[in-house]
Structure formats: structure tokens, C-alpha cells
Amino acid sequence: MHATQGRSAGLGLALASAFAFGGSGVAAKPLIEAGLDPLHVVWLRVTGAALVMLPVAWRHRNLVRERPVLLAGFGLFAVAGVQAFYFASISRIPVGVALLIEYLAPALVLGWVRFVQRRPVTRAAAAGVVLAVGGLACVVEVWAGLSFDAVGLLLALGAACCQVGYFVLSDQGAGHGDTADAEPPHPVGVIAYGLLVGAAVLTVVARPWGMDWAVLGGGADMDGHEVPAWLLLGWIVLLATVLAYATGVVSVRLLSPQVAGVVACLEAVIATVLAWVLLGEHLSAPQLLGGGVVLLGALIAQSSAPRPPSGPVASGPGAAEAREPAAPGSELSRPPASP
């Protein structure tokens, strides 16, 4: 009975995380179009979330001594890299397209597993890669000569590559110490410090002192309707970052990493639907079909990846008891995105 209740709660939290992450681009794009630089929006998002998570960082301050390299890498790739590339891409291409390209990451992880770690990859996983690439070709309409902005597509691909960095770091950070039984670092603590590191890196890159702060006091256009800029910023910080990360991590602890990862793939669908409803970004039938194929390929690639000898960061302390390894790339409850 308790197991069933825990699974139901985990599923609900995973869905909440997917919805929260899926709305980040929809809330950010009007701010970018109102005059804020994409990097400044990323800086506001990460810095605001880092301030909210400061009490958590203080509680897990031992991680600074125990895992400095992991925290630095997590902040650089999973926080700063993913979000900077993603937000820059949505300033040039539709939100749904950017996020679908970002979801090539599970397929790219298989390339890392096969050619860098030199471990075998299943046929089903290879088929997932082919499906994802074929679906992406439909999304960007290659037969029309890449009708979308080429720079925007490359930026979205950069977000996918940073997602790969997150997956690899998650796999590396699962075990620590001299024995295989060492407890992994607390996932919420890693996220808190990842946000702090990301905020520090983005402060140097984005140079927020040159930002047009007056934009935040005005309004932003959302498909013909003016919305207060500060409300959109609150949405990005509190819902699309803090709530999204927290619910995602807890869902992984209540569900298996594979199940939580599958649910998280709904983020791309949610983002596309929200962009359609709130921003008026309409996709053609071939693009919608291609998006579905990309998601299907990502799911197959993710669920078929070979299992390493250790689980990912986001498996949390509870995984030390279960001792069930997870596949690299199965933890889509990250970051990502979205970014």
C-alpha cells in the first residue's frame, strides 16, 4: 500500500517537474523580445534560484570540501551551459524546436558510451539514435534547406552537448571514496551548489551591470497580451527552476530513475504546447510528427543504454540502500534545459 502511494506521489512530482521545466522558455522568450539579452535572462534565472537555495547550500556545505570538481562541473555544464545555450537558441528559433533538439542528448550520450568509454551499445539504443536524428530532420525541415535560423539550431545543439556533460558528471559523481558502498552526494545539495557556481560563471560572462534593468519594471508581450516582466521573471526563478529541480529530484527518489526520466521527456511536448497556446508559435504537421519521432527515439535510446557500475547523482541518498545502478542519460529530471 505504502509502495503504491509512494509511486503515485513520485509520478505526480515527475509530471509537476516536467510542466515546470517546460514553461521556462515560454516565460523567458517575451523577456528577451522585450529587450533583455538572453544571457541576462539566464543570469537572472540562475542567480535568483541560487539565492533561494542558499539555505540548502549551507546545510550541505561539506560538499565543497568533498566534491569540488563535481560541483564546478555541474555548475558549468548542467546549469550555466545548458541554460545559456537554450535561452540563446529560443531568441532565434521556436521554443519547441529548441527543446526537441536539446532532447538529442540521450542519443549523444550513447556516442560517449560507445566511443569514449568503449562499452557496447544495444541495437535498440542504436535504433533510438536513428529515430531521433530522423525526427530532427523533420522538425527542422531539411527538405526546405533548413528554414530555421542555422545559428539558433547550433545553439540548441550546444545545449544538448551540455546536457551530455550533465549526464556524464552524474555518472561520475555517483560513487565516492575507496569502496563501492560510499553514499553518493545529496542531489539537492549538488543542485544548490551547481546554481551558485553557475551564477558565478554567468556573472563573468553575462556582465549584468550592463543590463537594461528598466525592462523588468515594464511589460512584455505574450502573443498580443502585455504581461508584467517581473511576473515572468518570478515564473522563471520560482517555478521553472527551484520548483522544477526540487520536484524532479524527489520524484527520482520515489520512482526508479528510468521511469522518472521517461516522464521528464514530456517536457518537450509541454513546452511545444505552451508555446503554441501562449506565444502563438504554430508548427506544421511534419514538424509535429518529427517531434514525436525525436521523443520516441530519445526514450528508446535512454531506456536501452548499458548500465554502468554506479548510479547517477540525482539518485539521491536512498539509492545507497537500493544499490540499483542507473543508465547514463536516464536522469532527465535535471537540468536541463531547459534548460
Side-chain angles (χ1 to χ4, degrees):
M1 180 67 176
H2 291 292
T4 302
Q5 291 177 343
R7 187 175 180 84
S8 298
L11 181 59
L13 289 172
L15 288 171
S17 179
F19 270 95
F21 273 124
S24 63
V26 175
K29 189 158 188 173
L31 291 176
I32 295 172
E33 293 177 343
L36 287 181
D37 186 273
L39 273 179
H40 289 158
V41 178
V42 176
W43 179 83
L44 288 168
R45 175 185 187 180
V46 174
T47 303
L51 291 175
V52 174
M53 296 290 281
L54 269 178
V56 177
W58 175 254
R59 181 178 180 182
H60 299 284
R61 56 191 179 277
N62 60 303
L63 288 175
V64 177
R65 181 183 69 257
E66 297 173 357
R67 295 299 188 90
V69 176
L70 174 62
L71 299 183
F74 198 87
L76 182 62
F77 291 102
V79 176
V82 171
Q83 297 186 32
F85 278 114
Y86 173 60
F87 276 24
S89 69
I90 66 173
S91 69
R92 309 179 71 103
I93 60 177
V95 170
V97 174
L99 199 53
L100 286 169
I101 294 175
E102 187 179 329
Y103 266 82
L104 284 175
L108 296 176
V109 168
L110 293 185
W112 174 275
V113 171
R114 179 66 183 89
F115 298 108
V116 178
Q117 297 183 339
R118 298 187 180 278
R119 299 210 308 271
V121 174
T122 65
R123 291 182 179 179
V129 174
V130 173
L131 281 174
V133 174
L136 180 60
C138 293
V139 171
V140 301
E141 296 184 326
V142 291
W143 56 85
L146 288 177
S147 58
F148 287 124
D149 186 290
V151 175
L153 296 176
L154 288 175
L155 289 170
L157 186 59
C161 291
C162 286
Q163 282 273 32
V164 174
Y166 161 74
F167 294 142
V168 172
L169 283 171
S170 296
D171 185 40
Q172 294 290 328
H176 183 64
D178 299 327
T179 67
D181 294 331
E183 184 175 287
H186 197 285
V188 179
V190 173
I191 289 171
Y193 278 101
L195 288 168
L196 287 171
V197 172
V201 171
L202 288 169
T203 298
V204 175
V205 175
R207 300 180 178 182
W209 48 85
M211 180 170 55
D212 185 5
W213 293 90
V215 173
L216 298 178
D221 179 73
M222 184 175 276
D223 195 24
H225 301 282
E226 185 169 313
V227 180
W230 62 266
L231 183 61
L232 293 174
L233 179 60
W235 176 352
I236 294 172
V237 171
L238 299 177
L239 298 182
T241 307
V242 176
L243 178 64
Y245 274 115
T247 53
V249 168
V250 175
S251 73
V252 175
R253 296 175 63 178
L254 294 175
L255 302 169
S256 69
Q258 291 78 12
V259 173
V262 168
V263 177
C265 280
L266 291 174
E267 176 189 340
V269 178
I270 292 166
T272 302
V273 172
L274 287 177
W276 192 323
V277 174
L278 298 179
L279 300 181
E281 293 184 350
H282 300 282
L283 301 182
S284 66
Q287 289 172 325
L288 291 174
L289 177 62
V293 174
V294 169
L295 291 178
L296 177 61
L299 291 176
I300 294 175
Q302 175 183 308
S303 60
S304 303
R307 292 171 179 249
S310 61
V313 160
S315 56
E321 301 173 4
R323 301 297 172 206
E324 179 182 351
S330 65
E331 290 304 306
L332 291 180
S333 57
R334 53 79 169 107
S338 40

